[in-house]
Amino acid sequence: MIPAREALGRLREGNRRFVSSISSEERISGHLRRVELVKEQKPFAIVLGCSDARVPAEIVFDQGLGDLFVIRVAGNIVAPSQVGSVEFAASRFGTRLVVVLGHSQCGAILATIEELQRPAENQSRNLRSIVDRVRPSVEGLLKTGLGLNHDALVRCAVRANVSASVNQLRYGSEVLEELSRSDDLLVVGAEYSLETGIVEFYDDVKSS
Ligand SMILES: [Zn+2]
């Protein structure tokens, strides 16, 4: 089992390689690696990220086959099936690091802001279920008057939405809470910049 701090270091290193365009993907995803993984997987990190085509976790962290257990859903929201997937990987594979990975200019955030400012009629019930989970993060910000500055609102909403997902994983699951207490499971927030390719891990990770 790889401790959470070490796993975090690997992700930071991998993102540095990605940003400097020295990807090692071929080495880590080749035929031998595939054969090795047939019997079992031991992903060293769980990533709950957005479905956005520009933010594939394996690529932005320069990781290969079997390295990451990835759950992707628009807006990196936490619904019961996402909690269940994280619980499954943490319990079954002993993975000790969970990263909620949001990103700049997230379409789910933009759609939620739009919906709050100009509610659409006949929105699909399924799409609404995503917007409804992002909504509390944005509503609080609109009350502060941030709605007047669209870019700042989007930036803050991305961050608030990641933090909300982190909190739901930290405190919304008995299984994960117990693993955090007894087994050093770490749930952290991070944000990918479409502009620079850099993943910034949120402050509470650095200080602890
Ligand atoms: Zn997104």
Side-chain angles (χ1 to χ4, degrees):
M1 180 200 301
I2 295 176
R5 297 278 150 192
E6 195 183 322
L8 203 51
R10 280 197 194 187
L11 293 182
R12 288 186 202 274
E13 282 294 305
N15 180 241
R16 258 179 235 131
R17 288 194 301 274
F18 169 72
V19 171
S20 4
S21 303
I22 44 173
S23 164
S24 44
E25 201 208 336
E26 205 161 304
R27 174 176 61 77
I28 50 192
S29 300
H31 172 72
L32 274 179
R33 183 80 177 121
R34 199 172 71 233
V35 172
E36 267 171 28
L37 284 165
V38 172
K39 272 200 194 130
E40 61 169 354
Q41 57 173 316
K42 283 185 193 157
F44 73 82
I46 300 165
V47 179
L48 169 64
C50 182
S51 302
D52 192 301
R54 299 164 292 181
V55 196
E58 287 89 347
I59 294 180
V60 305
F61 287 121
D62 189 35
Q63 301 300 321
L65 277 180
D67 289 331
L68 303 179
F69 189 93
V70 181
I71 303 134
R72 287 177 71 179
V73 57
N76 41 270
I77 56 162
V78 173
S81 57
Q82 278 82 49
V83 181
S85 302
V86 174
E87 287 178 352
F88 172 79
S91 312
R92 182 69 62 96
F93 310 125
T95 313
R96 286 297 163 261
L97 176 67
V98 183
V99 178
V100 175
L101 181 64
H103 66 97
S104 58
Q105 300 298 329
C106 180
I109 302 287
L110 297 171
T112 304
I113 292 173
E114 215 169 273
E115 172 65 21
L116 283 168
Q117 291 177 333
R118 286 185 304 279
E121 282 172 31
N122 306 323
Q123 191 185 45
S124 137
R125 187 163 50 90
N126 304 310
L127 181 56
R128 185 172 294 275
S129 74
I130 292 176
V131 167
D132 282 346
R133 292 201 183 260
V134 179
R135 185 194 298 263
S137 301
V138 181
E139 268 172 346
L141 294 170
L142 283 174
K143 279 185 199 137
T144 66
L146 204 56
L148 299 172
N149 181 339
H150 186 260
D151 290 350
L153 175 64
V154 174
R155 275 198 304 277
C156 291
V158 165
R159 202 176 180 96
N161 183 53
V162 167
S163 297
S165 290
V166 166
N167 282 333
Q168 284 173 65
L169 290 176
R170 277 184 189 159
Y171 309 113
S173 152
E174 281 177 26
V175 174
L176 299 180
E177 239 178 307
E178 181 54 35
L179 284 172
S180 304
R181 236 189 335 261
S182 66
D183 233 349
D184 295 328
L185 178 90
L186 189 63
V187 184
V188 303
E191 192 177 318
Y192 174 78
S193 162
L194 293 184
E195 296 80 8
T196 64
I198 293 171
V199 173
E200 177 208 351
F201 287 89
Y202 288 171
D203 285 345
D204 59 338
V205 182
K206 285 178 207 150
S207 56
S208 54

